[in-house]
Amino acid sequence: MSKLILLLFLGFLAYLLFKGLQRAAARRQGKAQPPAPPERMVACARCGVHLPESESLEGDAGGRFCSEEHRRLGAA
Ligand SMILES: [Zn+2]
């Protein structure tokens, strides 16, 4: 009977160890993936308004613009 209790106890210990390792691995993974950096802001070459780079339009002669109209007008 005592062997059965010992076996259960060992099983419980193994379970705790397994859960602890899983938690540690999850923590490590969380640290390895920092949150995405904030997006770069660019200024419109025409009016100077700041907007995220992904929302800006690139001019034919370079530069970044806030709208199609300002892109057409070109840099100020
Ligand atoms: Zn603009």
Side-chain angles (χ1 to χ4, degrees):
M1 187 61 194
S2 64
K3 267 190 180 168
L4 184 68
I5 291 170
L6 188 70
L7 208 68
L8 282 171
F9 181 68
L10 283 174
F12 181 65
L13 274 183
Y15 170 78
L16 282 182
L17 192 72
F18 179 70
K19 291 293 265 185
L21 285 176
Q22 250 184 353
R23 252 201 309 274
R27 249 203 313 273
R28 255 201 310 277
Q29 233 167 25
K31 268 183 191 161
Q33 295 172 332
E39 196 173 352
R40 214 162 75 87
M41 299 293 279
V42 292
C44 174
R46 182 76 192 177
C47 66
V49 76
H50 283 78
L51 67 159
E53 193 172 22
S54 65
E55 287 175 30
S56 67
L57 300 165
E58 196 169 352
D60 299 327
R64 290 277 169 184
F65 299 90
C66 67
S67 62
E68 182 57 45
E69 192 189 346
H70 282 181
R71 192 177 80 87
R72 196 166 43 79
L73 289 167

